[in-house]
Amino acid sequence: MNSPEALSDAGVSEREAEVLELVAQRATNAEIAARLFVSVRTVESHVSSLLRKLGAADRRELARVAVEAEAAADDSRGPAVLGVRVAATGRRPLGGRGLPVPLTSFVGRAVEVADLAAAIGDERLVTAIGPGGVGKTRLATAVAAELAASRRDGVWFVDLVPVTDPGLVASAVSTTLGLDDPRGRSVEEALLGHLADADALLVLDNCEHLLGGVAVFVERLLGRCPGVDVLATSQARLMLPFERVFPVAGLSLPGDGAGDAVALFLERARQAGAGDLGPDAEARIGEICRRLDGVALAIELAAARVPSLGLDGIEQGLSERLRLLSGGSRVDERHQSLRSTIDWSYDLLAREDKALLRRVAVFAAPFTAPAAAAVAGEDPGAVADGLARLTEHSLLVTSPGVETRYRMLETIRQYGADEKLKHGEFDETRRRHMAWSLDALRALDARVDLPLGIALARADEHPAWQADVDGVADDARAALRWGAARSDTRAEAIELATLLAAICFTRGLLAECQHRYEQAADLSGPGPGRVAALLEAAGAAASRHEGNEMMRLWREASDAALAGGDYDSAAYALARSAELINRGPGLMAQKPAEGLLEDLMAEARPLATSSPRAEVALLTAWAFELDETDPDAMASARRAVESAADMRDPLLKSAALDAMTSIHLALGDVPAAVDDVSQRIDLLSTVRPAAHNGLEISDGYAMACEVSLTAGDFAAARRFADTLAGLPFHSEEGHLATSRRMRVDALAGDIARVLTDAERFRRGWERAGRPIASNLAGGAYAAAMVHGLRGDDRARAEWLDITTALGLDPEAVHGCSTGFAPTFDAIVSLHRGEAKAAFLRLADHPALFRNWHSGEWRPWYAALFAESAVLLGDESAASRIEDARPIAAPNPTVAAMVERAAALAAGDRQRLVGLAATLADTGCRYQWARTLILAGGDHAERGRAAMAELGAAPMAEPAGG
């Protein structure tokens, strides 16, 4: 069996012939697998098949058969084509003979391989471009190997790294093809003549330093050799009109594709001898790869250090990655380290482009050309041209949009920072960057310097503003970090921290807002600036419902003010602290110490004699301290309202009106409470939202929503809840935004909306660290009620657990003092036909509800209080109905529910039909559907269908219904 014909007759396939040839070259199975881009197991299968087909005893005999077949082919071969002889059998030559043999496996990039192969099928010149180390060569090699069998004369790989003269590109190609002396012709003419009739793919690797020479050669080659296609790899395109550019990005990261970056890291770490990396290894590796921008070389170098450094050492060392990541190829000096890879790219740049790269490396986030010009301190036109050249060299990545933004990979950014230090440009570039950051923040702040009413009317403009903030914030943070560490930039750092805090508030980044104001306070040192910053920080803490943080910061502000002789600010901070102890207990994760309120007021009173605003705050605090039914409480609240009006202070007046609202709810004067919240909304629409008033604004809309619900005005309640959710500073806080709307929709029966908002609530609350804020528990309890109506007791139990995790006292939950808990529980029990459970759950008479938080639920509770007795057949039913009527009167929905109880007691089914129509008009679809079912007959069928459409489980129906 010593001829190619014999191999063909034995049934040796083309792939098996390739394996056979490599066996003859004494290649191991692993080397063959890497060479042919198949698994070792596949090679083993081919070798076993060859042993069987050729009757060979072992690999040595297989190698001998292959050598004999090659010798037989020498006797019958025709002219050499590309150095690859065509066998006499007519079989195509062994494709890819000119490709380098990879020493490591090719991981991932399945999509890129397919796309690049398809591009080569469509175009004659394809240039794979990307930054150094991203993996262009390995990708091109893999694609070329895949295409080798489809080209009669195979593929040829030309490494241009050693070539330094653009005029010697043709010579490099000719040498790779093994052509003889051109005999009187130029090397290029001989080469083009040799390839004139060839069907081949030519891979030109690493063209970036020879762009002009490669472009001229390729244009001539493709013009003279119609069967030859070119795949080039380069950091910059060749700029030929018929060129197809194929961008090569970093490897896919977890969450944005196949996660090839992690797979490569794990494979190379294993090859380096790393053992078990721990249960959370993949998540940590994913973050490492993200910080390395998915660049293959960086990932491979990092993975190789795992046995000696561990993942924690890699994580800590990435801030100095240019020093950490070394130890790559000893053959290719460019890939020995990240620094050498970037050195290669940097050295190709013109002097002015090197300077621009160093200066724009200061940006922490994508930047625009005008921003680059400001920081580089150069002519905008010249900078725009330079950015284009850096992009063409794959040193910048563009993000097209309304205004093109440029992004620098983190590794290149660190390189640029090192070069700035070498050239003595670091401080000056940083100063210009800080100045640019300040200007950008001032402009952003000016765009939102609007009263709340106008800001809400322009809500459609907010997403664009948010996007602009996100485009600047990282650079502002970086500038602040640098400026805050220096004594000569302290004033700029204070302004930067203050502006960033204000913008973070409007952006909805409340935790950072608080942190930045505290940073500004620390930078300011003793004096009015520190006091002002601490007061804003306290407001930010209050806005994010972190009441204990708020109390701490007000105390710090008061102490700082006293130290500077500012008694007005000290008294104000103390008075506000006293006010919030009783006004906002639901904001406190930890209850204030016993007697703290009295101590604060005692400390504030002597200071407040010269502080009108502190006196108003103390009046409001006293109104909240007294029992709501105490006449002095209303008198104190009224004086506070009048004084604040005289001072034209909308925030102090709003707080005093909130005290009046609480008193009116406790007394059952619902219309007066509605008037109170209406005044508050009008007042608050005139102020610009800021950290110091954020809680006042959000509380105003929250109370307006809840009082509207007390009055049975679902349309108004939804409107106020939606405005609350849409407040700019709530945009990132899902639990703060959705809690009130969940209560409204739960009572109305909009089950689908509650389920959607509940998940947003849960995500926001968990993202915020599961804070204790019992004032949000009502929304969570509403979600529990909805799951109860759906018959999902497991989910209901989860949400009941969340209410206690939010800080709702378990004992209070089981009693009636919250108002909402017994109301929601009774609705579920009645839906399930458990009248006795509802009756027992509503143990307290609604006349006992004498504080604001139970008072706002009094009408709803009273209606269920009456209905449960009727359905149970309890002797108290008649008296309960009579007691409930005056309580329910201000709320048309619950008034109809009380009359429904009376109709049920009287057995008047026809009246139920009319009450169903009334409930439909109020917008309470759940109670409308329930009333139809209770009416029985054909009406019940409509009610059942409506209940199912709402998403509730079938309602239990009274016997005989």
Side-chain angles (χ1 to χ4, degrees):
M1 190 171 292
N2 58 358
S3 70
E5 291 86 347
L7 294 180
S8 179
D9 292 343
V12 174
S13 69
E14 193 168 321
R15 176 61 85 180
E16 288 171 344
E18 293 174 336
V19 172
L20 183 62
E21 182 180 22
L22 292 170
V23 168
Q25 296 172 18
R26 300 295 190 269
T28 66
N29 284 356
E31 291 170 335
I32 296 171
R35 175 67 179 78
L36 299 180
F37 299 97
V38 296
S39 68
V40 173
R41 181 170 295 179
T42 300
V43 175
E44 292 171 348
S45 176
H46 286 316
V47 170
S48 296
S49 177
L50 286 167
L51 289 169
R52 185 181 69 256
K53 290 178 179 180
L54 302 179
D58 52 27
R59 291 176 70 95
R60 180 176 299 178
E61 190 170 346
L62 274 184
R64 181 182 58 75
V65 171
V67 171
E68 289 175 355
E70 179 68 16
D74 285 341
D75 296 335
S76 58
R77 68 181 51 144
V81 179
L82 299 183
V84 179
R85 307 300 195 313
V86 180
T89 59
R91 179 175 63 81
R92 289 175 179 170
L94 302 179
R97 192 175 287 177
L99 293 175
V101 177
L103 300 180
T104 55
S105 59
F106 182 70
V107 177
R109 291 206 187 271
V111 173
E112 290 94 327
V113 168
D115 290 347
L116 182 52
I120 295 169
D122 294 337
E123 309 288 347
R124 296 193 60 204
L125 169 62
V126 178
T127 305
I129 65 169
V134 79
K136 301 183 296 294
T137 297
R138 292 300 301 272
L139 176 62
T141 304
V143 171
E146 184 170 294
L147 297 177
S150 67
R151 309 307 291 256
R152 184 188 70 227
D153 300 316
V155 297
W156 290 90
F157 184 95
V158 183
D159 182 5
L160 295 177
V161 168
V163 181
T164 58
D165 185 342
L168 297 179
V169 173
S171 295
V173 176
S174 181
T175 299
T176 300
L177 269 59
L179 298 185
D180 298 328
D181 190 321
R183 299 179 182 178
R185 293 184 296 170
S186 69
V187 170
E188 183 174 300
E189 281 298 317
L191 173 64
L192 296 181
H194 188 76
L195 296 175
D197 298 321
D199 171 24
L201 174 67
L202 185 63
V203 180
L204 300 178
D205 193 41
N206 298 298
C207 301
E208 55 270 355
H209 60 303
L210 304 167
L211 291 174
V214 172
V216 170
F217 168 74
V218 168
E219 188 162 15
R220 291 173 179 166
L221 171 72
L222 298 184
R224 294 270 299 275
C225 308
V228 177
D229 297 332
V230 173
L231 169 58
T233 75
S234 177
Q235 292 180 26
R237 59 176 299 181
L238 303 181
M239 302 301 288
L240 290 169
F242 47 86
E243 175 184 25
R244 164 77 177 274
V245 174
F246 187 93
V248 180
L251 291 162
S252 61
L253 299 166
D256 66 2
D260 292 341
V262 173
L264 177 64
F265 189 104
L266 288 168
E267 173 70 10
R268 297 297 185 259
R270 181 190 61 78
Q271 291 172 338
D276 184 7
L277 299 178
D280 60 345
E282 288 204 19
R284 296 172 67 188
I285 291 170
E287 178 59 19
I288 290 171
C289 293
R290 185 194 64 77
R291 292 176 63 187
L292 293 173
D293 297 296
V295 174
L297 174 63
I299 291 169
E300 291 186 320
L301 292 173
R305 303 296 301 274
V306 170
S308 58
L309 295 176
L311 290 181
D312 53 343
I314 300 295
E315 291 163 337
Q316 295 166 15
L318 287 183
S319 59
E320 295 291 337
R321 66 190 62 183
L322 295 175
R323 297 173 180 82
L324 173 75
L325 302 182
S326 60
S329 171
R330 296 296 186 269
V331 175
D332 186 349
E333 293 182 356
R334 298 171 309 130
H335 290 170
Q336 286 184 2
S337 68
L338 276 185
R339 181 175 294 281
S340 61
T341 299
I342 304 173
D343 281 340
W344 166 269
S345 305
Y346 183 73
D347 289 342
L348 297 175
L349 299 175
R351 179 185 58 80
E352 61 271 21
D353 291 343
K354 290 179 180 177
L356 181 59
L357 178 72
R358 295 193 300 269
R359 292 168 187 172
V360 298
V362 74
F363 286 104
F367 54 91
T368 63
V375 169
E378 301 290 344
D379 174 70
V383 168
D385 289 343
L387 293 175
R389 288 190 295 272
L390 292 176
T391 302
E392 290 165 3
H393 281 80
S394 299
L395 292 168
L396 293 176
V397 179
T398 59
S399 303
V402 177
E403 189 173 23
T404 299
R405 287 185 174 271
Y406 298 85
R407 178 174 66 88
M408 184 176 287
L409 300 185
E410 176 61 20
T411 301
I412 298 173
R413 193 193 66 76
Q414 287 190 22
Y415 182 93
D418 285 356
E419 289 298 309
K420 273 200 296 287
L421 282 171
K422 291 179 183 177
H423 287 77
E425 302 169 342
F426 191 87
D427 285 353
E428 183 57 32
T429 302
R430 277 291 182 187
R431 289 181 191 280
R432 287 196 296 266
H433 181 251
M434 174 175 265
W436 170 82
S437 298
L438 276 168
D439 287 343
L441 291 187
R442 291 179 190 124
L444 286 166
D445 188 61
R447 285 166 57 184
V448 291
D449 188 9
L450 302 167
L452 177 62
I454 296 176
L456 292 173
R458 298 183 182 178
D460 59 332
E461 301 175 9
H462 195 65
W465 182 86
Q466 287 180 311
D468 290 343
V469 169
D470 293 346
V472 169
D474 282 343
D475 279 291
R477 293 169 184 131
L480 176 56
R481 188 163 49 248
W482 178 79
R486 301 172 61 91
S487 59
D488 60 342
T489 54
R490 184 61 54 86
E492 292 89 344
I494 292 170
E495 183 184 2
L496 197 53
T498 304
L499 278 169
L500 187 56
I503 285 169
C504 282
F505 175 82
T506 308
R507 179 64 181 82
L509 304 174
L510 300 184
E512 182 174 0
C513 170
Q514 177 185 333
H515 169 69
R516 296 303 174 190
Y517 275 126
E518 291 190 69
Q519 186 177 17
D522 291 342
L523 289 169
S524 297
R530 175 174 174 78
V531 174
L534 287 171
L535 288 173
E536 292 288 353
S543 297
R544 54 194 287 250
H545 293 208
E546 291 285 350
N548 298 109
E549 284 286 284
M550 168 191 68
M551 297 292 289
R552 172 184 68 81
L553 288 162
W554 267 331
R555 168 51 71 183
E556 289 187 22
S558 174
D559 291 347
L562 284 173
D566 181 1
Y567 301 119
D568 174 65
S569 295
Y572 178 73
L574 292 168
R576 290 304 309 276
S577 297
E579 170 198 319
L580 261 295
I581 285 180
N582 281 324
R583 187 184 175 197
L587 305 177
M588 311 283 185
Q590 297 176 329
K591 293 182 179 179
E594 193 71 31
L596 178 60
L597 173 67
E598 292 77 7
D599 292 344
L600 289 170
M601 294 187 75
E603 188 177 356
R605 280 194 179 104
L607 299 172
T609 55
S610 60
S611 173
R613 61 177 183 156
E615 288 185 344
V616 174
L618 284 173
L619 283 171
T620 303
W622 186 242
F624 277 108
E625 166 65 6
L626 296 172
D627 187 279
E628 287 98 329
T629 59
D630 187 330
D632 285 347
M634 180 60 80
S636 184
R638 288 192 188 282
R639 288 201 302 275
V641 168
E642 292 166 359
S643 297
D646 291 342
M647 294 168 57
R648 299 183 182 278
D649 190 320
L651 298 178
L652 287 174
K653 185 176 179 181
S654 173
L657 281 169
D658 189 38
M660 289 182 62
T661 305
S662 299
I663 296 167
H664 283 137
L665 286 172
L667 297 176
D669 191 347
V670 177
V674 170
D675 183 63
D676 295 336
V677 295
S678 296
Q679 289 188 60
R680 284 187 77 188
I681 294 302
D682 289 343
L683 280 169
L684 294 171
S685 68
T686 65
V687 303
R688 174 190 169 170
H692 68 274
N693 61 35
L695 177 63
E696 194 64 47
I697 291 172
S698 62
D699 181 73
Y701 281 97
M703 286 301 294
C705 171
E706 296 190 10
V707 169
S708 297
L709 198 55
T710 304
D713 188 345
F714 283 98
R718 285 193 176 97
R719 185 172 65 252
F720 291 129
D722 288 345
T723 303
L724 176 66
L727 291 172
F729 52 92
H730 274 180
S731 61
E732 301 296 322
E733 306 286 347
H735 58 305
L736 301 182
T738 57
S739 176
R740 265 62 185 188
R741 178 71 193 248
M742 287 160 68
R743 305 183 198 193
V744 178
D745 289 325
L747 284 176
D750 191 347
I751 289 176
R753 173 64 186 258
V754 175
L755 295 177
T756 299
D757 282 346
E759 287 312 305
R760 184 183 175 197
F761 180 100
R762 190 203 299 261
R763 288 194 302 271
W765 179 59
E766 291 177 346
R767 188 168 57 243
R770 297 170 64 93
I772 296 174
S774 61
N775 62 313
L776 303 178
Y781 217 101
M785 184 199 84
V786 162
H787 284 295
L789 293 178
R790 298 176 69 239
D792 189 343
D793 286 340
R794 182 192 58 77
R796 184 185 186 204
E798 286 182 8
W799 279 95
L800 290 175
D801 288 343
I802 289 175
T803 65
T804 55
L806 283 162
L808 194 61
D809 187 344
E811 292 186 9
V813 170
H814 295 304
C816 296
S817 61
T818 63
F820 64 77
T823 298
F824 289 152
D825 287 345
I827 289 174
V828 174
S829 294
L830 292 176
H831 183 82
R832 296 178 174 185
E834 300 167 354
K836 185 174 182 179
F839 182 85
L840 294 174
R841 185 69 180 90
L842 305 169
D844 292 348
H845 194 286
L848 298 175
F849 289 8
R850 305 298 287 174
N851 53 46
W852 77 268
H853 51 84
S854 62
E856 69 173 300
W857 289 94
R858 187 190 293 110
W860 291 93
Y861 181 101
L864 299 167
F865 180 76
E867 184 172 323
S868 64
V870 170
L871 293 175
L872 184 61
D874 189 81
E875 60 184 11
S876 66
S879 63
R880 288 189 175 207
I881 290 171
E882 291 307 311
D883 291 346
R885 277 180 169 138
I887 296 174
N891 182 325
T893 299
V894 296
M897 290 168 62
V898 173
E899 294 310 313
R900 181 178 68 195
L904 287 170
D908 188 349
R909 298 300 178 90
Q910 191 56 42
R911 190 177 176 206
L912 290 176
V913 177
L915 289 169
T918 300
L919 288 165
D921 291 340
T922 68
C924 190
R925 291 182 58 79
Y926 174 79
Q927 296 298 341
W928 160 70
R930 175 174 171 79
T931 307
L932 287 174
I933 294 173
L934 292 172
D938 294 340
H939 304 294
E941 192 60 38
R942 287 178 54 213
R944 294 183 197 106
M947 194 68 77
E949 186 177 347
L950 292 176
M955 189 187 98
E957 302 181 25

